Amino acid sequence: ARDACILLRYRSGLTLSFADGDGLGNVRTSGFSTIEPWGTWTDGAEARLAIPIAPDERACDLDLVVSGIPFLAPGHGKQRMEVYVNDMFLALWEFTTAERPDRRQVRIPAALAGSGPMLDIAFHLKDALAPSAVGLSTDARRLGVGVVKVELVPPDPQSCL
């Protein structure tokens, strides 16, 4: 039943890993840096994902779950990330712990999840910063959040039947 209500080409509850060798590069459309063994940094003020929706599936609410590690530096103790889905603002997340991945979650309403052939997910990074700008290294990428994984799961699989 859970597989029947998920809208993605991916099976219900499948984790989209952003680590090396994941095979999901086509989901990351812009604003992501090179894939690393642990995940992928956002690079710049915006990062986007495009996840295809199967047209013959029924829409249901989905929880967007992101696990990430912020780039923090002295005097820059947080990374704020605005989350948009299909151009609708859904959440403002604040990441403040770089020791381990932080998990953030937001509900995507069924009407929004089923509004077109793709879920266009945009992350606006309010505090993206180059390590070179604060003297930490020569790295000129504007790092925001290192994305470890993204999940899209129905909060209540029974509600989609």
Side-chain angles (χ1 to χ4, degrees):
R2 194 169 182 203
D3 285 338
C5 78
I6 204 66
L7 300 173
L8 310 178
R9 284 192 208 166
Y10 309 103
R11 287 186 330 223
S12 176
L14 179 67
T15 297
L16 305 176
S17 170
F18 280 61
D20 203 12
D22 66 5
L24 295 171
N26 60 328
V27 171
R28 296 177 283 256
T29 59
S30 65
F32 288 95
S33 188
T34 306
I35 299 168
E36 299 183 36
W38 57 267
T40 307
W41 284 109
T42 59
D43 185 0
E46 180 181 80
R48 296 185 88 86
L49 305 172
I51 301 176
I53 303 292
D56 58 336
E57 297 291 338
R58 291 188 284 171
C60 63
D61 289 348
L62 294 173
D63 283 345
L64 171 65
V65 183
V66 175
S67 294
I69 302 169
F71 173 70
L72 304 177
H76 302 277
K78 66 181 174 184
Q79 285 288 341
R80 293 171 294 157
M81 176 189 278
E82 291 180 349
V83 181
Y84 292 81
V85 174
N86 296 349
D87 296 321
M88 179 178 285
F89 174 80
L90 292 184
L92 173 61
W93 293 335
E94 190 171 288
F95 292 84
T96 58
T97 303
E99 289 77 39
R100 58 175 166 59
D102 271 347
R103 186 176 186 269
R104 298 288 185 271
Q105 182 172 323
V106 66
R107 177 81 32 96
I108 302 172
L112 185 58
S115 66
M118 300 288 276
L119 274 183
D120 177 29
I121 300 170
F123 302 119
H124 294 196
L125 290 304
K126 300 307 221 175
D127 305 297
L129 180 68
S132 61
V134 290
L136 293 178
S137 73
T138 59
D139 189 344
R141 295 176 298 167
R142 290 185 53 220
L143 305 179
V145 174
V147 179
V148 176
K149 64 183 176 178
V150 171
E151 298 172 89
L152 283 165
V153 293
D156 177 13
Q158 297 302 316
S159 69
C160 299
L161 301 176

